Amino acid sequence: MEIISKENLVYRPSELLTGATFNFCPGCGHGTVVRLVMEVVEEMGIQSETIGISPVGCSVLLYDFYNIDVIQAAHGRATAVATGIKRVLPEKYVFTYQGDGDLAAIGTGETIHTCNRGENIAVIFINNGIYGMTGGQMAPTTIPEMKTSTSPRGRNTDTMGYNLSITEMIARLEGAYYVTRQAVHNSAAVRKTKRAIRMAFENQKLNKGTSFIEVVSSCNSGYKMTPLQANRWMEENMFPYYPLGDMKVNGVLKV
Amino acid sequence: MKELRLMKGNEAIAEAAIRAGADAYFGYPITPQSEILEYLADQNPVETTGMVVLQAESEVAAINMVYGAASAGRRVMTSSSSPGISLMTEGISYLAGAELPCVIVNVARGGPGLGTIQPSQADYFQSTRGGGHGDYRLLVLAPASVQEMADFVALGFDLAFKYRNPVLILSDGVIGQMMEKVELPEFRPRRKENESWATTGKTPGRERNIITSLNLDACIHEQHNIKLQAKYRRMEEEETRCEAILCDDAEYIAVAYGASARISRKAVEQAREQGIRAGLFRPVTLFPFPARELKTAAKNAKGLLSVEMSAGQMIEDVRLAVDCRIPVKHFGRYGGVVHAPGEVLEAIKTFQV
Ligand SMILES: Cc1ncc(C[n+]2csc(CCOP(=O)(O)OP(=O)(O)O)c2C)c(N)n1
Ligand code: SF4
């Protein structure tokens, strides 16, 4: 580090990362979003006021990477856990970080009701269209025809139902104050996602409702592709179902 | 000054939670305990003590809200009745695994399934054996009066924090619904101090705090389990509570908790009037079960009758307590039916033939 002079430093990992090696597969979108959250917390100087909730899924070990207080929640229940702690510590910044199986399948009830109550928290939702941790099974977000280990001939919407666009539903809830869909497949998208996360944290000072950020992200291991292929596949196939952009800003619907 | 009030058991528990300095209550309506949430909503303690009261969208959400608020080292309570407690068990297992303090109230009703809204004690196994997955125990208090409904809330919080473990108040529809005179507990302030382990935000002076029940390394997780077991053994050493009435010379002892203990007490009085040397042993803690105390109380007994509103669950602990050396029988109506003292008396008499 010492050989890099200050003026030449273009990037350094957030000091709020512990340095523990990320457990994510190389090329996975999780690694990017996980670091962005700590960059925002560091830049806002709110380490001592921030409590994170980790889900069950590939990001379960957030607490190994983050030098902040973290609660590990049961599968799908992160927003209920966040509600509990935010209600007794209303001055703190509370965020959940959840995958699509966690947030939009087993945890759908908690997700909808937390946002509908307008809990003053940030929800960061990684939509990779698949269950990463358990080995690539179909998720509620799996798009039609997509092959997974439990839809080996592709998602048949007649028998398996349609992919759930939960973020569009959330945007229509009175309690949701900021709802956006972002991605991390290129550096411009990463910068936008970081701005969205910053907004979600800043919003907590206003006490006006839930901030909800979906990040469409690839799971190259689950898709059985190289990281590059996975990102291209995601752009071509997932973005049409999950168009990027803001859905609700400052409580005002954009779509 | 003594504050006396005529109250339902459920209302007493709710009032006691406010007075015990609880920071939060999360719950979902279910008969026969909905008065707890209703009473708290009506009192609106957020304006007096600052206690948060929130109706969750399900028992699953409620227990996970408890998990979140308990992670902050605050006094948190939830309540439900049997089917709702079944829904909570995953969360309760997480609370036990992550060693979080909280008070859970079960005003039990008849099962299985949706069962009936009438009183029952058929959740004894679920309560005393952990209930959810994994090797864990709850500290279980069994009130037998409206007064104990009130008194066990503060006691429950104290024990929960002493052991960093969930405490279950196992009541039943009789105790929850009946009205009695109750001396209200004194007001205690809400906790100001931060627990060293709580996730209240990592300040520069300390390491980060993590609340989790996960260990990827089995050997580390075995150590965690060993630590939990040591805690449960310590509870067995230090926390058994019970009441022995007329047991010293008793030939026959009814063993009963909660509503069954009240009914059995009446049966014991009737037996004594008829010249039968009967006694009552009432476990107040169901885990830890007061086995040593029961063994001592039963030293002269020729028969023990486990009186429960279930098909016979506590009877297993009763048999173990006396090493099966004394005949132990079960008596109880169940599925929502409450036994009468006369029925218990008849069951006591069956030892005589
Ligand atoms: C109650 C319960 N059911 C199932 C599981 C198994 N499980 C662990 S992670 C997971 C899916 C995670 O997928 P997702 O939320 O999409 O996150 P990702 O791993 O893709 O980031 C499942 C089903 C569990 N741990 N608990
Ligand atoms: S399995 Fe998928 S989601 Fe999980 S770390 Fe690997 S690439 Fe990422």
Side-chain angles (χ1 to χ4, degrees):
Chain A
M1 270 311 249
E2 294 78 43
I3 56 166
I4 305 170
S5 61
K6 229 180 176 174
E7 54 279 17
N8 289 338
L9 185 75
V10 284
Y11 175 77
R12 64 161 174 79
S14 165
E15 282 170 0
L16 300 187
L17 292 173
T18 59
T21 311
F22 285 1
N23 63 322
F24 308 114
C25 308
C28 173
H30 271 305
T32 308
V33 187
V34 160
R35 73 164 170 83
L36 290 181
V37 178
M38 273 315 97
E39 286 175 20
V40 167
V41 172
E42 183 183 351
E43 284 161 23
M44 288 176 70
I46 55 171
Q47 176 193 25
S48 62
E49 293 151 73
T50 303
I51 294 139
I53 323 283
S54 83
V56 175
C58 283
S59 47
V60 63
L61 291 177
L62 276 190
Y63 53 78
D64 272 356
F65 317 136
Y66 284 178
N67 194 16
I68 59 166
D69 285 357
V70 177
I71 309 171
Q72 199 295 306
H75 194 22
R77 317 301 169 207
T79 54
V81 173
T83 299
I85 193 153
K86 184 79 183 196
R87 289 289 180 124
V88 294
L89 301 176
E91 305 303 322
K92 305 284 172 177
Y93 295 85
V94 174
F95 73 92
T96 71
Y97 184 106
Q98 303 171 258
D100 41 22
D102 192 85
L103 179 140
I106 193 167
T108 310
E110 285 77 8
T111 305
I112 300 263
H113 284 282
T114 300
C115 295
N116 196 46
R117 282 191 303 267
E119 298 295 339
N120 193 31
I121 60 168
V123 178
I124 299 164
F125 164 39
I126 307 299
N127 175 7
N128 54 21
I130 205 161
Y131 284 14
M133 187 184 214
T134 38
Q137 295 85 6
M138 184 173 68
T141 46
T142 298
I143 60 174
E145 308 301 329
M146 180 176 170
K147 287 193 168 88
T148 71
S149 67
T150 51
S151 58
R153 284 170 282 285
R155 182 174 194 150
N156 176 347
T157 51
D158 290 344
T159 56
M160 300 167 178
Y162 296 88
N163 60 302
L164 184 68
S165 299
I166 197 166
T167 308
E168 274 81 357
M169 293 165 64
I170 300 287
R172 271 153 187 78
L173 301 176
E174 291 293 332
Y177 184 67
Y178 172 51
V179 182
T180 188
R181 181 183 285 125
Q182 301 293 334
V184 286
H185 60 304
N186 59 40
S187 38
V190 170
R191 277 196 296 277
K192 278 190 181 171
T193 298
K194 184 169 171 181
R195 275 203 295 276
I197 295 171
R198 172 93 189 209
M199 170 105 90
F201 275 85
E202 298 280 357
N203 282 347
Q204 294 193 46
K205 291 183 206 155
L206 308 175
N207 206 7
K208 288 203 170 153
T210 312
S211 295
F212 189 98
I213 303 170
E214 173 179 337
V215 183
V216 185
S217 163
S218 71
C219 168
N220 42 287
S221 290
Y223 305 167
K224 311 221 174 337
M225 295 176 192
T226 65
L228 206 59
Q229 282 170 335
N231 264 345
R232 288 214 184 102
W233 184 90
M234 178 180 76
E235 276 183 76
E236 285 166 21
N237 297 282
M238 283 179 60
F239 285 4
Y241 284 98
Y242 302 111
L244 306 187
D246 291 337
M247 295 183 210
K248 200 178 200 180
V249 179
N250 298 337
V252 180
L253 270 175
K254 297 280 165 195
V255 283
Chain B
M1 208 195 65
K2 267 202 205 172
E3 216 178 316
L4 291 175
R5 233 186 267 176
L6 183 68
M7 282 181 125
K8 274 191 176 190
N10 287 337
E11 293 167 346
I13 257 191
E15 175 66 29
I18 302 171
R19 289 171 179 254
D23 294 285
Y25 169 92
F26 305 98
Y28 185 82
I30 181 170
T31 309
Q33 64 80 53
S34 298
E35 295 88 350
I36 300 177
L37 175 56
E38 287 169 349
Y39 185 94
L40 288 170
D42 183 53
Q43 294 293 311
N44 201 23
V46 75
E47 287 186 350
T48 49
T49 67
M51 174 186 177
V52 172
V53 177
L54 183 62
Q55 178 169 339
E57 65 271 26
S58 69
E59 289 86 351
V60 177
I63 196 71
N64 284 287
M65 290 172 185
V66 168
Y67 184 88
S71 295
R74 296 297 191 257
R75 290 197 194 107
V76 201
M77 185 171 105
T78 185
S79 66
S80 188
S81 180
S82 311
I85 297 288
S86 290
L87 262 183
M88 287 185 186
T89 48
E90 183 200 31
I92 296 174
S93 172
Y94 272 69
L95 284 154
E99 296 192 85
L100 291 175
C102 68
V103 172
I104 302 159
V105 181
N106 181 3
V107 184
R109 58 189 249 179
L114 193 52
T116 165
I117 60 169
Q118 315 301 332
S120 167
Q121 295 180 315
D123 297 350
Y124 183 89
F125 282 151
Q126 186 194 49
S127 308
T128 58
R129 270 63 176 168
H133 60 284
D135 262 330
Y136 75 91
R137 299 297 177 116
L138 306 175
L139 208 154
V140 185
L141 300 169
S145 62
V146 175
Q147 186 65 55
E148 284 187 342
M149 289 286 257
D151 293 343
F152 286 1
V153 178
L155 173 65
F157 278 126
D158 290 346
L159 291 169
F161 276 86
K162 177 174 173 190
Y163 290 97
R164 274 189 69 181
N165 204 69
V167 167
L168 177 72
I169 298 179
L170 179 62
S171 184
D172 55 65
V174 177
I175 308 291
Q177 290 297 327
M178 73 184 187
M179 292 186 91
E180 262 183 345
K181 189 175 71 179
V182 50
E183 184 186 333
L184 293 175
E186 301 276 318
F187 276 97
R188 298 203 306 196
R190 286 171 52 225
R191 312 184 92 238
K192 292 240 162 41
E193 64 280 25
N194 274 343
E195 293 291 332
S196 60
W197 48 263
T199 50
T200 48
K202 186 211 165 303
T203 44
R206 67 157 167 86
E207 292 296 301
R208 72 190 192 279
N209 283 334
I210 299 164
I211 300 294
T212 182
S213 57
L214 174 74
N215 281 304
L216 291 181
D217 183 326
C219 290
I220 295 176
H221 199 57
E222 185 186 36
Q223 289 308 314
H224 176 60
N225 266 273
I226 289 169
K227 181 179 152 213
L228 293 180
Q229 291 302 319
K231 182 163 83 173
Y232 307 144
R233 297 296 86 77
R234 193 154 65 86
M235 289 178 191
E236 285 172 336
E237 286 303 315
E238 295 174 19
E239 301 303 340
T240 51
R241 287 174 166 75
C242 61
E243 193 184 8
I245 297 165
L246 301 172
C247 284
D248 284 343
D249 67 338
E251 282 186 299
Y252 311 110
I253 296 177
V255 185
Y257 66 96
S260 279
R262 297 172 70 104
I263 296 159
S264 299
R265 182 163 191 173
K266 190 83 198 156
V268 164
E269 285 165 14
Q270 290 172 351
R272 288 272 169 179
E273 282 162 18
Q274 296 179 18
I276 302 167
R277 295 216 306 265
L280 170 69
F281 184 85
R282 177 170 80 96
V284 172
T285 50
L286 303 182
F287 183 85
F289 189 79
R292 267 166 315 190
E293 295 86 340
L294 176 55
K295 198 171 180 174
T296 309
K299 57 185 181 301
N300 298 320
K302 292 188 197 150
L304 300 182
L305 187 69
S306 185
V307 184
E308 322 168 48
M309 292 187 281
S310 76
Q313 299 189 6
M314 182 180 66
I315 188 169
E316 295 190 2
D317 289 332
V318 175
R319 283 203 179 111
L320 286 172
V322 295
D323 305 319
C324 298
R325 260 180 266 171
I326 308 169
V328 181
K329 290 192 204 173
H330 162 261
F331 176 74
R333 303 289 301 273
Y334 47 100
V337 179
V338 181
H339 26 250
E343 291 176 297
V344 178
L345 177 61
E346 288 310 309
I348 291 173
K349 286 182 181 171
T350 60
F351 282 109
Q352 292 180 308
V353 289

